[in-house]
DNA sequence: AAATTACTGTTATTTTAATAACAATGTTAT
DNA sequence: ATAACATTGTTATTAAAATAACAGTAATTT
């Protein structure tokens, strides 16, 4: 394997897996491409194409084996050892993210949170210890944290990203409205709520 | 105008405007395409192309007039009367969204929040009144709210989307991890944090 | 046994988005 | 005055993603 998968396929694989886990807990062990498609409101062709790209093949007339497919997707998007994640900034958004994750069985473990407000630090949130930002670089290095979620206000985001980069982070998910600049070896995903809301507004206006 | 703009251009316009407002408050009244590009970490060609698409033209050697460009973008993405927005579900995420918005001068006004937990209702959050979900459909109709942000847990998202549709909502921004199905006349934007984090993890693993 | 059906897997086509190439032109330098 | 420069606006090209078309085939029906 290790053919390069399209970005969008990777996104959908994550969604397929979630849907498949649901299916499984409903006691269903086989599923057709069009059933997956319905769950995600996309087309069956797209599902089959994605599954083709990851090299799995179903059986005619029976569809895909749910367990197998979950495993294959896991092999592709998870690492064996798991990856450690830190959340920077535990305002409402930071806490929402930690809440989303708690209980989810995944190879992504949120192992630390950081905040610059001493009132918030040295406590546990959703099972995750929150440290003062001063210790961020040190802890990230020592713990081998590879992924960071930035949920600080825009004005601090840039500095945080710099520090994270220096501490050797490998991937950043940025929720702040401030576009970041990181070296090419750091994977960056921007996630801008305000833009998305304005986009919805634009298309509503058009329609 | 009213040529149909590419999706991605619409997203960037929103970001250009934010950057331009910043520029303006820094006392700068003209800006080059490459300066905008640097702020957003994209290319200057892309900026010029987007600006071409909205029909604005700068002046050679001086670049774009910041005020004019802000206005033009506003004409395209805002409506004259503004649009009313509701936030459904005020857990951490819902509150984060309301916090992001408070103070932002925009034509999008969050005018109501809804929650099914009576402990949270009949209070004001970030200046926005929160009502019980029972009143959702009624208030949305009466107030003429056209856009909804869904920030409820996945298991309730579908029902909420149905109700919103029935109440005549025009656009939905869905933060729940559950993919929604809405009629074609409702514009839907999905926004799935878990997927995005898994995507980052995948590309980190690859690198 | 032949035809039909209901699926998968794959290639071909179209659509959308990004990038590159470059012509046009006012400004500055010589 | 001429040449070099810096910048815009636009067209052409490439890349990425989605969709369509369809071949293959086991199961089912006739």
């Amino acid at each position: 394997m290790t053919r390069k998968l399209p970005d969008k396929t990777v996104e959908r694989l994550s969604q397929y897996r979630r849907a498949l886990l649901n299916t499984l807990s409903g006691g269903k062990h086989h599923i057709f491409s069009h059933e997956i498609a319905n769950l995600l409101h996309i087309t069956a062709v797209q599902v089959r194409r994605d599954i083709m790209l990851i090299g799995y093949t179903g059986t005619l007339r029976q569809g895909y084996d749910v367990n197998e497919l979950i495993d294959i997707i896991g092999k592709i998007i998870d690492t064996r050892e798991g990856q450690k994640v830190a959340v920077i900034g535990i305002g409402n958004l930071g806490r929402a993210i930690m809440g989303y994750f708690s209980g989810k069985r995944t190879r992504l473990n949120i192992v630390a949170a950081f905040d610059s407000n001493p009132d918030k630090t040295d406590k546990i949130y959703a099972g995750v210890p929150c440290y003062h930002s001063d210790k961020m670089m040190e802890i990230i290095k020592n713990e081998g944290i590879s992924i960071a979620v930035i949920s600080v206000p825009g004005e601090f985001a840039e500095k945080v990203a710099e520090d994270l980069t220096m501490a050797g982070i490998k991937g950043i998910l940025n929720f702040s409205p401030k576009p970041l600049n990181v070296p090419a070896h750091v994977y960056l995903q921007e996630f801008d709520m305000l833009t998305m809301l304005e986009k919805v507004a634009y298309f509503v206006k058009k329609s």
Side-chain angles (χ1 to χ4, degrees), chain A:
Chain A
M1 57 143 279
T2 315
R3 271 161 306 186
K4 219 186 100 235
L5 296 173
D7 250 64
K8 299 287 180 181
T9 295
V10 174
E11 289 178 22
R12 281 188 299 265
L13 287 176
S14 156
Q15 293 170 336
Y16 295 161
R17 178 162 66 172
R18 279 216 299 275
L20 291 168
L21 287 166
N22 259 328
T23 303
L24 201 58
S25 64
K28 204 164 141 57
H29 289 265
H30 285 86
I31 194 165
F32 296 127
S33 62
H34 64 261
E35 291 177 304
I36 300 179
N38 286 342
L39 292 170
L40 273 75
H41 311 301
I42 59 178
T43 69
V45 188
Q46 181 118 76
V47 173
R48 292 206 303 278
R49 212 169 185 295
D50 286 335
I51 291 177
M52 181 193 80
L53 289 174
I54 62 177
Y56 180 65
T57 120
T59 56
L60 205 45
R61 215 79 171 193
Q62 282 192 90
Y64 305 98
D65 182 295
V66 179
N67 278 298
E68 282 178 17
L69 191 44
I70 289 172
D71 280 358
I72 296 274
I73 293 176
K75 285 213 180 88
I76 288 170
I77 65 186
D78 295 331
T79 54
R80 194 187 306 272
E81 338 73 47
Q83 285 171 91
K84 294 185 182 176
V85 179
V87 173
I88 326 296
I90 49 169
N92 285 315
L93 183 56
R95 284 200 296 272
I97 293 159
M98 301 204 295
Y100 263 33
F101 259 76
S102 74
K104 299 277 182 310
R105 52 177 209 60
T106 158
R107 285 281 163 74
L108 291 172
N109 302 112
I110 300 187
V111 297
F114 299 94
D115 204 284
S116 57
N117 180 346
D119 294 346
K120 292 181 177 171
T121 57
D122 303 312
K123 289 179 188 161
I124 307 281
Y125 294 86
V128 177
C130 178
Y131 307 99
H132 193 274
S133 312
D134 292 346
K135 299 186 196 144
M136 186 176 80
M137 293 182 66
E138 184 194 332
I139 293 177
I140 284 181
K141 273 186 215 159
N142 293 348
E143 289 275 319
I145 294 171
S146 56
I147 295 172
V149 178
I150 298 183
S151 49
V152 300
E155 53 272 39
F156 307 119
E158 197 138 34
K159 174 71 167 84
V160 167
E162 269 171 39
D163 289 349
L164 288 170
T165 300
M166 282 203 292
I169 210 85
K170 300 276 186 51
I172 294 177
L173 180 54
N174 177 33
F175 282 92
S176 90
K178 170 88 193 161
L180 298 179
N181 192 18
V182 294
H185 65 268
V186 177
Y187 183 86
L188 172 66
Q189 172 76 47
E190 308 267 1
F191 210 73
D192 182 343
M193 305 192 187
L194 268 49
T195 286
M196 287 304 158
L197 193 53
E198 293 203 326
K199 181 182 172 191
V200 172
Y202 171 82
F203 285 106
V204 163
K205 174 189 175 187
K206 289 283 121 174
S207 66

